Amino acid sequence: MRVGPGIIGILATLWFGSSAVWACPFCAPSGNTLSNEVAQADMILYGSLSNAKLDPQDGGFNKGTTEFHIEIVIKPHDIIKGKKTITIPRYIPPEGRGYKYLIFFNVSPTGELDPYRGDAFPPDSRLPEYLQGAIAVRNKDAATRLKYFFRYLEDKDVVISSDAYNEFAAADYKEVREVAPHFPPETLLQWLADPNTRGSRYGLYGLLLGHCGKPEHARALRRLLDDKERQFASGLDGVLAGYILLDPQEGWKYLTQLIHDDQEFPVKYAVLRTARYFWEFRSDVIPRDKVLDVMKQLVAQPDIADMPIEDLRKWKQWQLTPLILSYADKPSHNTIPINMRAILKFAIAAAQADPKNAAAAAFVAQARQQDAKRVEFLEELLKDEERLLQPNPTPKDSPQPKK
């Protein structure tokens, strides 16, 4: 059972459409990257803590002072010139014996320190080395940057490996596609086959392998996909995409066989995301008519139908109006409010795009008779979406320039 998207889902759909086309298609960033944090911070220091004292006059949380012994200056500031130790205006009890700390500071015009982010690391952490390298490549070309972060994707330090992953997640797909053929396919396949690899990584690794692998890697991916004990809890979409990139005919056939009524929703959703990828990025590999065939099969699945209907609307596939509207008469679909909402939005957009689309116009007219406010709300929602998709959307209440 899947619940509706709520207001968060609506806003995400408005802002990002079917996918964030500027980012890696099968990655899920989990926060800002350290190199971006470097750009935002006034000062970044690496070192150790000592002499943490609570403020006896104020029992509030973290009120007090802590001495910070500077070992490496990641990002300098005039306030620490010539200093080896500074006092942080907070009580920070040490995590453990020998731990080191990376602390990001804002510095006020009057010289007050605001340590707004701090991470603790074991003494053998490679974080200083990693972060200094990340700063060095920050303004380099995409290939140089991503080759650097690839080396740390499976680092034993979770902070480092997570940050390296976030760099890929934030990268434009064009950048990923450009550099991916230079990565070692055997390393990627080893990561995919390792049961200890975090599930969030499978999508990225599968996609990268699809760009750098050979026919034998397609066969290896297929064995992983068929392994009942190694089913991908997440990242299936990227692994499917990688398989299809390496063997379009067999890979696409495998994908279509995953669509059936008793299939679990996450699998169907992975099929949908994979189909989106080939429509939006790689129609040179899978023609769009084949993608549409898969989308039509997904529309027939009531537990996911609203999503492919939304995609077909955004892709302006108005020739499918009779098919989409036909599901409004099927109990499998019309008893699910979110499906009926998607069908109505499709009809409204189709009628607005083509005045000759009599079927869409009639459907909207009937819906308006039943609930005029609902139709008006969806019409406004679609207008807002169009405004957000414009390069520089103009707020509705902003004064318009005089002609």
Side-chain angles (χ1 to χ4, degrees):
M1 179 62 69
R2 183 169 58 91
V3 297
I7 190 66
I8 298 297
I10 293 171
L11 291 176
T13 299
L14 285 176
W15 277 106
F16 301 114
S18 59
S19 67
V21 296
W22 55 87
C24 175
F26 304 114
C27 303
S30 57
N32 202 3
T33 63
L34 287 174
S35 57
N36 282 338
E37 288 273 13
V38 167
Q40 297 169 14
D42 294 326
M43 178 175 69
I44 305 174
L45 305 175
Y46 183 85
S48 58
L49 301 174
S50 68
N51 201 24
K53 296 179 180 179
L54 282 169
D55 186 347
Q57 304 299 321
D58 191 336
F61 182 67
N62 282 349
K63 296 292 185 179
T65 59
T66 305
E67 289 183 7
F68 185 80
H69 301 268
I70 304 170
E71 297 181 18
I72 300 175
V73 177
I74 304 295
K75 186 173 184 179
H77 192 280
D78 288 344
I79 200 169
I80 61 166
K81 276 189 176 179
K83 294 183 179 180
K84 294 295 184 180
T85 303
I86 61 172
T87 298
I88 297 175
R90 277 187 198 174
Y91 172 73
I92 309 175
E95 292 283 340
R97 187 178 180 86
Y99 267 67
K100 305 296 182 180
Y101 295 80
L102 179 72
I103 302 182
F104 295 74
F105 296 86
N106 283 329
V107 183
S108 74
T110 58
E112 295 177 350
L113 297 178
D114 175 20
Y116 68 89
R117 171 176 173 172
D119 297 298
F121 300 91
D124 61 347
S125 171
R126 295 197 296 163
L127 182 75
E129 166 200 329
Y130 167 79
L131 189 52
Q132 288 175 323
I135 293 172
V137 302
R138 187 172 189 276
N139 295 318
K140 301 287 186 180
D141 61 278
T144 300
R145 286 189 293 104
L146 294 178
K147 283 179 182 178
Y148 174 78
F149 293 115
F150 182 87
R151 292 159 43 193
Y152 293 92
L153 282 171
E154 287 297 315
D155 193 272
K156 64 179 182 179
D157 190 316
V158 174
V159 172
I160 292 175
S161 61
S162 296
D163 187 70
Y165 173 80
N166 281 340
E167 290 284 353
F168 274 87
D172 189 293
Y173 170 64
K174 291 180 180 178
E175 298 173 338
V176 175
R177 182 178 175 183
E178 174 190 348
V179 71
H182 301 286
F183 293 142
E186 294 300 334
T187 298
L188 289 162
L189 186 60
Q190 179 182 350
W191 290 344
L192 285 167
D194 187 346
N196 295 317
T197 297
R198 279 166 281 178
S200 60
R201 306 303 179 89
Y202 292 139
L204 172 62
Y205 296 168
L207 179 67
L208 295 179
L209 183 58
H211 287 81
C212 66
K214 298 176 181 178
E216 59 264 32
H217 298 114
R219 293 189 289 271
L221 276 183
R222 177 60 181 267
R223 287 194 294 271
L224 287 175
L225 288 166
D226 287 338
D227 186 349
K228 300 301 182 183
E229 296 183 0
R230 276 298 324 278
Q231 286 187 336
F232 296 94
S234 62
L236 175 59
D237 43 18
V239 177
L240 286 172
Y243 178 34
I244 295 166
L245 287 169
L246 293 172
D247 189 342
Q249 183 173 349
E250 287 302 313
W252 196 253
K253 179 181 177 182
Y254 181 89
L255 176 136
T256 58
Q257 291 173 345
L258 292 176
I259 310 171
H260 49 79
D261 293 342
D262 60 350
Q263 188 64 271
E264 294 182 354
F265 175 82
V267 175
K268 295 178 187 178
Y269 185 53
V271 170
L272 174 65
R273 284 173 52 85
T274 307
R276 286 173 178 168
Y277 163 76
F278 284 99
W279 178 277
E280 295 170 354
F281 297 109
R282 299 306 304 267
S283 58
D284 59 315
V285 176
I286 300 298
R288 285 186 165 179
D289 58 337
K290 289 190 175 182
V291 175
L292 287 180
D293 287 341
V294 163
M295 299 299 279
K296 287 186 282 188
Q297 292 179 57
L298 288 169
V299 170
Q301 302 292 312
D303 59 337
I304 198 174
D306 63 295
M307 292 182 172
I309 292 173
E310 283 284 281
D311 288 320
L312 293 170
R313 174 182 63 80
K314 291 164 190 168
W315 298 345
K316 304 183 188 301
Q317 299 302 299
W318 312 131
Q319 77 280 5
L320 297 179
T321 298
L323 174 68
I324 301 302
L325 298 188
S326 70
Y327 285 98
D329 296 324
K330 296 182 179 180
S332 59
H333 288 62
N334 63 20
T335 55
I336 303 175
I338 197 171
N339 287 342
M340 292 303 296
R341 176 193 177 95
I343 292 170
L344 179 53
K345 285 174 69 179
F346 184 98
I348 293 170
Q352 292 174 346
D354 181 9
K356 296 182 180 179
N357 194 328
F363 188 89
V364 174
Q366 182 180 6
R368 200 182 303 275
Q369 286 183 342
Q370 295 172 347
D371 192 342
K373 289 185 177 181
R374 179 167 180 257
V375 174
E376 290 171 5
F377 171 78
L378 293 179
E379 288 173 336
E380 285 300 313
L381 199 65
L382 291 173
K383 288 178 183 178
D384 287 340
E385 181 179 314
E386 286 297 320
R387 278 190 286 266
L388 290 170
L389 291 174
Q390 294 173 6
N392 293 298
T394 302
K396 289 187 287 186
D397 297 331
S398 296
Q400 299 298 313
K402 295 182 180 180
K403 295 182 179 180

